[in-house]
C-alpha cells in the first residue's frame, strides 16, 4: 500500500520536474522514464492510461538496432484512451500531438494490425501498420479544454491496437490559424512538412524549439539554392506566427530549367487541405511570381524581397492530389519551406437534452452501459446508433426497464427504438413526441394497454407488439399510421374484430396466438364476451360439467327439449351476469352521487348531445374530446376515456371524485359524467377560445391576437388556477400535466386550466412528496422528478415555467429546427434571458412590451425552470410576480396611449 502511494506521488512529481524542455510532454508507451538526447525527458505512460499490456520490440534501423517499448490492447474494449492534460502551460492556443505506432512483429504473428485513432470527438486516421511500420501521426489540436482524449479504436477483425510513443509540443500562440475558417473547431493532420532545398536529413528540436519534424526535400530539383548559396543576411528575427526555424528558411528550392517550379504531392485521402508556403529572401535579387494550386492561380505577382521573410496560406477543398506551381514573373521563383495539413472538422456535440435523457435512461436500466463523453462521437456508445450528432437508434433489449419512461420521449431524433424483452408493464406511453420513429419493437414484454400515443407516431413503419399481454380490442386509430408496413400482434390477449382501417394493401398484420382476433366480425362475438373477465368464465365452466350430467340423464329424450333447456341455462347465466354488473354500476353511481351535485348522464344522452361523437375538438391524456350540446342548450366538451380497460373503475371514480371537489374560475368546470359498462365519459364546460397552444402555434392571425398584455393575463389566470390546486383545495392537488394545450380560453380570453387525467391529490399530512411512476409530457417534465421519482408541487412549477418561456419566446418546448441547443426551449432560453438578451422574445411582441415587465416575467420563468426543485419559487410567488409584470405592462400601455 505504502509503496503504491509512493509511486503515485513520485509519478506526479515526475510530471512536474521532468517535463523538459518546458511544455514538452513525452510519453514512452509501455516503457519507463528516462532522459534522452537534448535533455528531453521521457515519462512512462502508466499514469495516463489504465488499460493494455506492455512489451518491447527490437528492430534494426539502418545499421543500428534499437529496443522500442510498446503498449498493446488485447482486451475487447472498443476504445482505449489516453487522457492528455492541456493545462500545464499557460497561453496555449494549440499543441502538436505526435503519436508513433510500432508493430514490428512483437507477437510473432506476422499480422500487422489496423485500427482507428481519435482525438477528442473526431476520428482522425485509420492506422494500417501493413503499409507503414512505424506509423507516425501528427495532429495540431486547438486547445479548448483542460484535457483531451486520444483513443485507439479497434477495428473488428483487424487485430490489436498498439502504440509506442506520444509526444505533445506546445505551438506558437495563434499559429496555424491564419486564413483558416473556424480554426478553433479544426484538427490539422500533417500530410507534408518539407524543408525545401535541403537533403541531408530531418530537422527538429533543438533547431526547431517546437520540435516539429521538417523532412528533407526528397524530390530535389536539379537546380537549387542552399544555405551556402550566396546568403546575404542571417535570418535572425522575423514575424511569422508559425515561427519556422531559421535553419529551415536558409535553404530554398529555386526555379529549375523550365519556367516554373512545381511540387506535386499525393494525398492519402480526398479532403480539404491547408497549405502554408514560407519564403525568405536569401538571394540578392527580389523574385516575383504567381502561385498556382491545382491549376488555379491563387496569388498573382508575389514578391520575395531580398533579406525579408514572408508566408502564404491557402485552403483547398476536396482534393486528393496537390500541384503547387510557382510561375515566373521576375527572376527565379523560390520557396523555402512548406506545410500541408488535412483539415478535420471536429463534429458538434450531441444536444444536451439527448445526453441528459440518455443518462437518465442508463439509470433506469440499473446497469453500467459504459456511456461516457459524447453519445455519437468519435464512436457511438454501445446500444446506440447516430446520424451525425443525432441519436437515431436505441437498442436496450434484455435490460430491465420495467416501464416506458418519459425520458424516452426526449430522444426526438429516434428512428429505431428496440425495447424488446425489457420487462415493460402497463401501457405503451410517453413516445408520442417521437415523430421520426420508423421501427418500434416492444415485443416480449408484459404490456397490457395500447395507450393513446401510438397514433402520433406518423412515420412508423414497423410496430412489433408480439408476446405481450395486450388486452381488449385493437385500436381503431392504428389505421391512421399510413406508413405502417408490419403490425405484429401475435401472442397477446386481444379479442374482437380488427378495425377495417387495418385491412389495406401494403400492411401486413400478424395476429396468431390471440384468443379471437380477425377482420371478420361474425366469428368472434361469443368468444369476446366469454374472455371479458375471469368472473364470467368460471360459472360457464361449472355449467359445462352440469351439461354433461344432463346429457347422460336425458339420454335420447329429444334434442329439442335439450336445446330449450340449454337456452334457458344460458339466458339465466347471462341475466345474472348483467344484473351483477348493473348492481356494481348502480352502487358506484350512488357513491358518486353522494359526493357532489355533478350530473350523471346516460350514454344515450351523451350520444345525442355529441350528435354521435361527430366533432373531435381535442385530445386529452386518456382519449378524444368531443364537442356537444346539452338539451338545455349548454355547450360541453365530452371526454371519452380511451381504452376502457386501461384504468379500472377505481381510477375513474377517483378522477370524478377529485373533479367534483374543485371549483375555481380558472379551472375548467366539471359538468358531470357517464359511467356505464365500457363507457367512462367526463363532461366539462366547453371553452370556445380553444387552447393556448392553438393561439401560440396556430395561424398567424391567432398569434397576433396574443399581445404581451394578454399573454400576461393568461399566465396570471393559469397561475391562479394552479395556486388553487396547490394551496386552496383540500386535499391539495398536483396537476402533473401543465402545458399550453391544457390551458383553455373562454370567449373573453380568460384562461382556465384543464385535463386532470394525471392529477394526484395529497393531503397536508402527506410527506412533502409522493413517489410515483413518472407521467407527463415530454418537454414539460421536471428533470428532477424524472430522475428521483419524487413528485412535489414544484414539478408543476417547472412545467408552468416552460409555459411562461413559450409565452415569451413563442416557441415550442422541443423542436427540431436550428442548432443543437435550440432543441430544448429551456436550455436555449435560460442563458439568453439571464443575459437580458431580449432578441429571443417572440417576433410578434417586438417593440410592444415594457422591458421592465418583460424582465420581471423572464426572471420568474427562469426561476421556475431551475433544475433543482428547491430553487424554484412556490406558485403563489410566481403569481405575485406575474401580477406585477402585468400591472407594469398595463401602465406602459396607458403611458403610450397618453403620448399618442
Ligand atoms: C541537460 O541538463 C543538465 C542539467 O539540467 C545541464 O547541465 C545540461 O547542460 C543539459 N544539457 C543539454 C544538452 O541541454
Ligand atoms: C495481458 O495482461 C493480462 C494481465 O496482466 C494477462 O492476463 C494477459 O494474458 C496478457 N495478455 C497478453 C496477450 O499478453
Ligand atoms: C471539456 O471536457 C469535458 C469533459 O471531457 C466536457 O464535458 C466539456 O464539454 C469540455 N468543454 C469544452 C469546451 O469542450
Ligand atoms: C549531412 O549531415 C551530417 C550530420 O548530420 C554531416 O556530417 C554531413 O557533413 C552533412 N552533409 C552535407 C552534404 O551537408
Ligand atoms: C507581426 O505581424 C502581425 C500581422 O501579421 C502584426 O500585427 C504585428 O504587429 C507584427 N509584429 C511585429 C513585431 O512586427
Ligand atoms: C502542375 O500544374 C502546372 C500549372 O498549372 C502544370 O503546368 C503542370 O503540368 C502540373 N503538373 C502535374 C504533374 O500535374
Ligand atoms: C429475454 O431475456 C432473458 C435474459 O434477460 C433471456 O433469458 C431470454 O431468453 C430473453 N427472451 C427473449 C424472447 O429474447
Ligand atoms: C379487406 O378489404 C377488402 C377490400 O377493401 C375486402 O374485399 C375484404 O373482404 C376485406 N377483408 C376482410 C377480412 O374483411
Amino acid at each position: 500500500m505504502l509503496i503504491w502511494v509512493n509511486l503515485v506521488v513520485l509519478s506526479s512529481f515526475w510530471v512536474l520536474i521532468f517535463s523538459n524542455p518546458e511544455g514538452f510532454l513525452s510519453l514512452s508507451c509501455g516503457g519507463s522514464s528516462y532522459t534522452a538526447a537534448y535533455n528531453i525527458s521521457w515519462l512512462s505512460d502508466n499514469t495516463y492510461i489504465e488499460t493494455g499490456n506492455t512489451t518491447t520490440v527490437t528492430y534494426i534501423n539502418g545499421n543500428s538496432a534499437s529496443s522500442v517499448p510498446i503498449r498493446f490492447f488485447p482486451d475487447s474494449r472498443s476504445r482505449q484512451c489516453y487522457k492528455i492534460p492541456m493545462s500545464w502551460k499557460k497561453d496555449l492556443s494549440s499543441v502538436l500531438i505526435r503519436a508513433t505506432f510500432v508493430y514490428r512483429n512483437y507477437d510473432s504473428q506476422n499480422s500487422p494490425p489496423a485500427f482507428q485513432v481519435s482525438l477528442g470527438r473526431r476520428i482522425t486516421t485509420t492506422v494500417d501498420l501493413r503499409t507503414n511500420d512505424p506509423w507516425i501521426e501528427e495532429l495540431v489540436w486547438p486547445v479548448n479544454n483542460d484535457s483531451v482524449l486520444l483513443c485507439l479504436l479497434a477495428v473488428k477483425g483487424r487485430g490489436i491496437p498498439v502504440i509506442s510513443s506520444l509526444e505533445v509540443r506546445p505551438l506558437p500562440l495563434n499559429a496555424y490559424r491564419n486564413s483558416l475558417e473556424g480554426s478553433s473547431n479544426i484538427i490539422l493532420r500533417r500530410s507534408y512538412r518539407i524543408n525545401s532545398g535541403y537533403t541531408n536529413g530531418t530537422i527538429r528540436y533543438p533547431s526547431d524549439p517546437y520540435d516539429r519534424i521538417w523532412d528533407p526535400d526528397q524530390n530535389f530539383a536539379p537546380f537549387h539554392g542552399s544555405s551556402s548559396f550566396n546568403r546575404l543576411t542571417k535570418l535572425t528575427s522575423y514575424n511569422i506566427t508559425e515561427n519556422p526555424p531559421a535553419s529551415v528558411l536558409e535553404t530554398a528550392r529555386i526555379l529549375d530549367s523550365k519556367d516554373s517550379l512545381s511540387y506535386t504531392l499525393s494525398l492519402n485521402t480526398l479532403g480539404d487541405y491547408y497549405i502554408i508556403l514560407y519564403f525568405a529572401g536569401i538571394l540578392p535579387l527580389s523574385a516575383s511570381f504567381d502561385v498556382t494550386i491545382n491549376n488555379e492561380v491563387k496569388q498573382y505577382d508575389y514578391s520575395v524581397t531580398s533579406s525579408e521573410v514572408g508566408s502564404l496560406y491557402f485552403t483547398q477543398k476536396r482534393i486528393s492530389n496537390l500541384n503547387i506551381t510557382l510561375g515566373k514573373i521576375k527572376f527565379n521563383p523560390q520557396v523555402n519551406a512548406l506545410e500541408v495539413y488535412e483539415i478535420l472538422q471536429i463534429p458538434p456535440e450531441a444536444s444536451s437534452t439527448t445526453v441528459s435523457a440518455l443518462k437518465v435512461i442508463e439509470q433506469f436500466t440499473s446497469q453500467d452501459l459504459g456511456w461516457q463523453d459524447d453519445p455519437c462521437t468519435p464512436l457511438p456508445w454501445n446500444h446506440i446508433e447516430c446520424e451525425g450528432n443525432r441519436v437515431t437508434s436505441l437498442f436496450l433489449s434484455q435490460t430491465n426497464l420495467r416501464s416506458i419512461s418519459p425520458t424516452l420521449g426526449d430522444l426526438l431524433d429516434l428512428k429505431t427504438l428496440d425495447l424488446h424483452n425489457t420487462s415493460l408493464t402497463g401501457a405503451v406511453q410517453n413516445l408520442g413526441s417521437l415523430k421520426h420513429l420508423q421501427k418500434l419493437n416492444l415485443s416480449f414484454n408484459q404490456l397490457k394497454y395500447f395507450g393513446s400515443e401510438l397514433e402520433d407516431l406518423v412515420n412508423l413503419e414497423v410496430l412489433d407488439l408480439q408476446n405481450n399481454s395486450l388486452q381488449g380490442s385493437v385500436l381503431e386509430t392504428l389505421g391512421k399510421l399510413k406508413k405502417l408496413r408490419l403490425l405484429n400482434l401475435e401472442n397477446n390477449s386481444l379479442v374482437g374484430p380488427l378495425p377495417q382501417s387495418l385491412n389495406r394493401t401494403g400492411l401486413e398484420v400478424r395476429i396468431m396466438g390471440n384468443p379471437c382476433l380477425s377482420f371478420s366480425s361474425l366469428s368472434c362475438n361469443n368468444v369476446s364476451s366469454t374472455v371479458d373477465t375471469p368472473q364470467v368464465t368460471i360459472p360457464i365452466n361449472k355449467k359445462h360439467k352440469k351439461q354433461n350430467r344432463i346429457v347422460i340423464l336425458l339420454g335420447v329424450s329429444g334434442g329439442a327439449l335439450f336445446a330449450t333447456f340449454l337456452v334457458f341455462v344460458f339466458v339465466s347465466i347471462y341475466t345474472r351476469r348483467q344484473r351483477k354488473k348493473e348492481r356494481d354500476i348502480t352502487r358506484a353511481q350512488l357513491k358518486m352521487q353522494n359526493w357532489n351535485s355533478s350530473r350523471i348522464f346516460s350514454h344515450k344522452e351523451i350520444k345525442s348531445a355529441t350528435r354521435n361523437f361527430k366533432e373531435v375538438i381535442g385530445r386529452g391524456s386518456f382519449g378524444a374530446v368531443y364537442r356537444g350540446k346539452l338539451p338545455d342548450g349548454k355547450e360541453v366538451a365530452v371526454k371519452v376515456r380511451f381504452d376502457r380497460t386501461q384504468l379500472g373503475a377505481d381510477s375513474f371514480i377517483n378522477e370524478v371524485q377529485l373533479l367534483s371537489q374543485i371549483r375555481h374560475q380558472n379551472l375548467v368546470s366539471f359538468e358531470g359524467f357517464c359511467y356505464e359498462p365500457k363507457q367512462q365519459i367526463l363532461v366539462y364546460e366547453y371553452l370556445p377560445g380553444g387552447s393556448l397552444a392553438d393561439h401560440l402555434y396556430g395561424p398567424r392571425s391567432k398569434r397576433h391576437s396574443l399581445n404581451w398584455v394578454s399573454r400576461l393575463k393568461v399566465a396570471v389566470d393559469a397561475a391562479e388556477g394552479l395556486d388553487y390546486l396547490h394551496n386552496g383545495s383540500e386535499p391539495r392537488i398536483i396537476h402533473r400535466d401543465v402545458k399550453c394545450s391544457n390551458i383553455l380560453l373562454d370567449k373573453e380570453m380568460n384562461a382556465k386550466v384543464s385535463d386532470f387525467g394525471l392529477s394526484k391529490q395529497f393531503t397536508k399530512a402527506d410527506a412533502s412528496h409522493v413517489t410515483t411512476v413518472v407521467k407527463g409530457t415530454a418537454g414539460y417534465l421536471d428533470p428532477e422528478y424524472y430522475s428521483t421519482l419524487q413528485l412535489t408541487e414544484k414539478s408543476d412549477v417547472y412545467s408552468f415555467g416552460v409555459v411562461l418561456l413559450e409565452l415569451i419566446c413563442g416557441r415550442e418546448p422541443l423542436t427540431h429546427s436550428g442548432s443543437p441547443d435550440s432543441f430544448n426551449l429551456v436550455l436555449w432560453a435560460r442563458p439568453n434571458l439571464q443575459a437580458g438578451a431580449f432578441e429571443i422574445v417572440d417576433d410578434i411582441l417586438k417593440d410592444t412590451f415594457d422591458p421592465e415587465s418583460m424582465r420581471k416575467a423572464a426572471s420568474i420563468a427562469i426561476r421556475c425552470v431551475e433544475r433543482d426543485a428547491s430553487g424554484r419559487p412556490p406558485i403563489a410567488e410566481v403569481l405575485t410576480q406575474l401580477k406585477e409584470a402585468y400591472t407594469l405592462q398595463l401602465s406602459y400601455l396607458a403611458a403610450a396611449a397618453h403620448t399618442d
Side-chain angles (χ1 to χ4, degrees):
M1 194 60 199
L2 206 67
I3 296 167
W4 173 242
V5 170
N6 270 336
L7 267 178
V8 171
V9 170
L10 255 175
S11 56
S12 51
F13 192 53
W14 285 336
V15 174
L16 292 179
I17 60 161
F18 285 101
S19 64
N20 231 355
E22 205 222 333
F24 282 25
L25 178 65
S26 313
L27 299 181
S28 166
C29 304
S32 50
S33 303
Y34 68 101
T35 303
Y38 305 114
N39 277 352
I40 293 182
S41 42
W42 285 83
L43 304 176
S44 158
D45 64 343
N46 280 339
T47 49
Y48 296 87
I49 193 161
E50 283 161 2
T51 53
N53 294 22
T54 63
T55 185
T56 55
V57 51
T58 307
Y59 70 86
I60 317 290
N61 197 0
N63 43 21
S64 69
S66 47
S67 177
V68 176
I70 56 171
R71 182 179 288 272
F72 60 100
F73 302 93
D75 73 7
S76 60
R77 243 169 290 221
S78 58
R79 53 173 145 178
Q80 313 281 350
C81 299
Y82 280 89
K83 187 169 185 181
I84 306 176
M86 290 289 147
S87 51
W88 80 102
K89 190 171 186 289
K90 284 200 193 96
D91 287 342
L92 273 185
S93 61
S94 55
V95 294
L96 180 74
I97 297 176
R98 182 163 47 229
T100 308
F101 307 96
V102 176
Y103 171 67
R104 295 292 167 127
N105 203 19
Y106 74 88
D107 57 358
S108 314
Q109 301 288 313
N110 272 318
S111 86
F115 49 89
Q116 292 181 311
V117 175
S118 70
L119 187 60
R121 288 193 301 274
R122 170 77 202 218
I123 293 178
T124 59
T125 331
T126 299
V127 172
D128 188 345
L129 290 167
R130 286 178 310 191
T131 58
N132 282 314
D133 185 4
W135 178 297
I136 298 173
E137 192 67 25
E138 273 193 9
L139 302 164
V140 175
W141 170 253
V143 175
N144 57 13
N145 211 331
D146 300 351
S147 63
V148 63
L149 292 182
L150 181 132
C151 306
L152 277 56
L153 314 172
V155 174
K156 245 204 168 98
R158 291 304 316 275
I160 295 169
V162 56
I163 186 169
S164 175
S165 74
L166 200 49
E167 297 162 272
V168 185
R169 306 290 183 246
L171 288 170
L173 197 62
N174 299 323
Y176 302 104
R177 295 190 166 199
N178 290 304
S179 318
L180 184 59
E181 245 174 77
S183 56
S184 59
N185 255 328
I186 282 174
I187 297 172
L188 295 174
R189 172 174 181 249
R190 186 190 67 151
S191 301
Y192 292 95
R193 188 182 298 117
I194 299 174
N195 180 4
S196 300
Y198 186 74
T199 48
N200 196 13
T202 55
I203 284 183
R204 60 185 290 185
Y205 186 79
S207 296
D208 184 347
Y210 306 99
D211 196 20
R212 287 165 291 199
I213 298 175
W214 297 84
D215 288 324
D217 197 351
Q218 297 300 354
N219 306 319
F220 197 68
F223 179 76
H224 66 277
S226 75
S227 55
S228 59
F229 193 93
N230 204 359
R231 193 170 71 220
L232 282 185
T233 334
K234 192 146 179 70
L235 301 165
T236 44
S237 74
Y238 43 87
N239 184 12
I240 295 178
T241 36
E242 285 69 29
N243 212 354
S247 55
V248 166
L249 294 185
E250 282 165 3
T251 58
R253 190 192 274 219
I254 298 181
L255 177 66
D256 61 13
S257 51
K258 289 178 242 125
D259 264 359
S260 64
L261 182 163
S262 285
Y263 275 95
T264 55
L265 305 169
S266 67
L267 304 168
N268 284 348
T269 41
L270 175 71
D272 300 350
Y273 286 82
Y274 183 53
I275 300 150
I276 308 176
L277 305 178
Y278 301 101
F279 306 95
I282 55 171
L283 298 174
L285 303 167
S286 299
S288 62
F289 46 82
D290 291 339
V291 179
T292 305
I293 294 180
N294 288 7
N295 294 322
E296 188 188 338
V297 181
K298 292 286 198 172
Q299 173 78 43
Y300 287 100
D301 201 1
Y302 183 73
S303 305
V304 181
T305 312
S306 184
S307 78
E308 283 181 10
V309 168
S311 51
L312 288 175
Y313 304 85
F314 307 104
T315 49
Q316 194 75 17
K317 303 219 158 159
R318 300 196 55 74
I319 54 170
S320 55
N321 278 295
L322 187 56
N323 172 353
I324 303 170
T325 298
L326 309 182
K328 175 179 179 172
I329 291 182
K330 204 169 81 185
F331 305 120
N332 296 336
Q334 66 171 71
V335 61
N336 299 54
L338 65 98
E339 293 185 83
V340 178
Y341 291 92
E342 187 180 354
I343 297 172
L344 304 173
Q345 303 284 346
I346 300 174
E349 293 172 87
S351 84
S352 45
T353 316
T354 302
V355 178
S356 51
L358 288 170
K359 288 284 164 69
V360 172
I361 292 165
E362 186 182 22
Q363 282 178 27
F364 275 107
T365 64
S366 331
Q367 284 178 28
D368 182 6
L369 301 177
W371 284 357
Q372 270 171 14
D373 303 311
D374 191 86
C376 294
T377 56
L379 269 192
W381 287 344
N382 298 329
H383 308 282
I384 280 176
E385 282 174 9
C386 296
E387 286 171 21
N389 63 340
R390 291 172 302 126
V391 174
T392 51
S393 304
L394 178 61
F395 308 91
L396 287 176
S397 52
Q398 330 288 0
T399 59
N400 190 21
L401 284 178
R402 293 178 297 275
S403 76
I404 303 179
S405 92
T407 13
L408 285 163
D410 284 349
L411 301 175
L412 296 180
D413 298 308
L414 280 187
K415 293 182 178 169
T416 303
L417 177 60
D418 184 351
L419 301 179
H420 88 267
N421 201 5
T422 50
S423 314
L424 301 178
T425 55
V428 179
Q429 58 184 4
N430 295 321
L431 300 177
S433 53
L434 305 182
K435 302 292 183 229
H436 297 283
L437 203 60
Q438 294 168 355
K439 290 188 185 157
L440 177 57
N441 186 346
L442 298 171
S443 60
F444 297 94
N445 286 300
Q446 289 88 50
L447 290 166
K448 264 185 152 166
Y449 315 114
F450 284 103
S452 60
E453 294 181 12
L454 281 172
E455 66 183 271
D456 296 331
L457 304 178
V458 290
N459 279 304
L460 206 57
E461 294 170 13
V462 177
L463 175 57
D464 192 346
L465 291 165
Q466 64 172 306
N467 292 282
N468 273 287
S469 314
L470 291 170
Q471 302 179 349
S473 51
V474 178
L475 285 185
E476 180 78 42
T477 47
L478 287 180
K480 287 192 192 162
L481 302 175
K482 289 296 171 238
K483 297 198 176 160
L484 202 59
R485 291 186 279 111
L486 176 62
L487 173 61
N488 193 337
L489 299 170
E490 286 174 353
N491 302 320
N492 278 289
S493 306
L494 294 165
V495 294
L498 280 162
Q500 278 305 320
S501 56
L502 295 174
N503 175 13
R504 62 164 197 257
T505 47
L507 169 59
E508 180 186 351
V509 185
R510 299 196 188 148
I511 53 177
M512 269 170 37
N514 284 287
C516 182
L517 192 60
S518 81
F519 276 115
S520 62
S521 48
L522 290 172
S523 58
C524 281
N525 276 350
N526 299 332
V527 190
S528 75
S529 59
T530 58
V531 296
D532 207 347
T533 56
Q535 299 95 301
V536 178
T537 43
I538 294 161
I540 286 194
N541 285 342
K542 265 195 221 146
K543 283 296 167 207
H544 256 294
K545 278 192 199 134
K546 247 188 199 161
Q547 279 163 25
N548 290 342
R549 250 186 287 148
I550 293 163
V551 172
I552 297 160
L553 207 85
L554 294 180
V556 287
S557 73
L561 180 63
F562 177 52
T564 319
F565 178 76
L566 276 191
V567 166
F568 169 75
V569 169
F570 276 116
V571 166
S572 66
I573 291 165
Y574 181 78
T575 37
R576 253 176 44 205
R577 241 178 59 209
Q578 275 313 93
R579 277 205 205 111
K580 179 172 180 308
K581 260 193 184 164
E582 272 158 26
R583 267 205 315 278
D584 284 350
I585 290 158
T586 334
R587 218 182 311 137
Q589 283 181 346
L590 284 175
K591 206 167 140 202
M592 291 178 197
Q593 234 159 357
N594 290 339
W595 300 326
N596 68 101
S597 54
S598 53
R599 220 177 122 182
I600 300 173
F601 296 93
S602 71
H603 191 243
K604 230 167 102 193
E605 284 174 288
I606 299 284
K607 219 166 146 175
S608 88
T610 57
R611 286 179 297 153
N612 203 10
F613 303 101
K614 195 155 166 240
E615 189 184 345
V616 179
I617 51 175
R619 257 165 224 295
S621 46
F622 291 120
V625 183
Y626 301 87
R627 185 168 174 178
K629 196 175 208 174
L630 298 181
D632 64 5
K634 186 167 194 172
E635 290 219 274
V636 289
V638 172
K639 188 169 118 185
V640 178
R641 291 268 287 225
F642 179 82
D643 195 354
R644 274 87 46 186
T645 49
Q646 178 163 334
L647 296 138
D650 282 353
S651 124
F652 180 77
I653 294 168
N654 284 344
E655 187 174 348
V656 171
Q657 181 177 25
L658 186 148
L659 285 170
S660 39
Q661 284 165 352
I662 50 179
R663 293 261 165 217
H664 187 270
Q665 81 237 27
N666 296 113
L667 300 175
V668 170
S669 69
F670 180 56
E671 298 292 334
F673 62 94
C674 162
Y675 185 76
E676 285 180 11
K678 300 203 163 193
Q679 302 301 337
Q680 297 181 358
I681 294 172
L682 299 167
V683 181
Y684 296 91
E685 73 176 305
Y686 172 73
L687 293 177
S691 76
L692 176 56
D694 296 341
H695 282 267
L696 279 179
Y697 311 118
R700 225 181 142 71
S701 60
K702 263 200 161 170
R703 300 187 58 191
H704 272 289
S705 68
L706 269 191
N707 55 25
W708 182 232
V709 78
S710 50
R711 288 182 198 210
L712 283 170
K713 169 74 165 46
V714 167
V716 167
D717 284 352
E720 295 264 20
L722 288 177
D723 183 39
Y724 173 78
L725 290 177
H726 289 183
N727 305 311
S729 64
E730 178 57 46
R732 296 185 290 165
I733 289 163
I734 303 174
H735 185 281
R736 289 176 89 199
D737 203 11
V738 176
K739 56 179 173 183
C740 281
S741 55
N742 280 343
I743 295 174
L744 304 183
L745 303 172
D746 69 9
K747 267 208 297 286
E748 286 90 37
M749 297 289 277
N750 298 307
K752 302 187 179 204
V753 177
S754 82
D755 199 344
F756 304 90
L758 295 177
S759 300
K760 259 213 141 44
Q761 31 181 301
F762 60 108
T763 53
K764 287 223 170 70
D766 262 346
S768 57
H769 63 261
V770 186
T771 306
T772 154
V773 181
V774 179
K775 293 233 166 75
T777 302
Y780 292 92
L781 264 181
D782 170 7
E784 186 171 291
Y785 168 40
Y786 70 53
S787 51
T788 63
L789 304 184
Q790 308 277 292
L791 177 69
T792 71
E793 318 92 290
K794 294 292 180 67
S795 298
D796 278 353
V797 172
Y798 182 91
S799 310
F800 186 65
V802 177
V803 171
L804 291 179
L805 291 177
E806 290 184 79
L807 287 169
I808 293 169
C809 304
R811 294 190 61 168
E812 289 181 88
L814 293 173
T815 51
H816 280 284
S817 57
S819 64
D821 273 353
S822 66
F823 264 107
N824 183 309
L825 178 61
V826 173
L827 297 179
W828 174 73
R830 186 158 42 199
N832 279 301
L833 291 178
Q834 263 161 354
F838 289 158
E839 299 86 69
I840 69 162
V841 168
D842 193 347
D843 279 341
I844 286 175
L845 302 180
K846 287 273 144 71
D847 305 322
T848 64
F849 60 84
D850 173 25
E852 222 15 75
S853 161
M854 182 59 75
R855 204 160 295 136
K856 216 172 207 21
S859 123
I860 197 72
I862 292 165
R863 289 177 55 208
C864 289
V865 294
E866 276 286 334
R867 206 181 156 84
D868 186 2
S870 61
R872 294 175 209 149
I875 193 73
E877 186 183 338
V878 178
L879 177 59
T880 316
Q881 295 290 322
L882 287 173
K883 279 181 175 163
E884 283 173 22
Y886 179 63
T887 318
L888 282 170
Q889 177 68 7
L890 281 182
S891 19
Y892 172 83
L893 292 178
H898 199 71
T899 46
D900 277 353

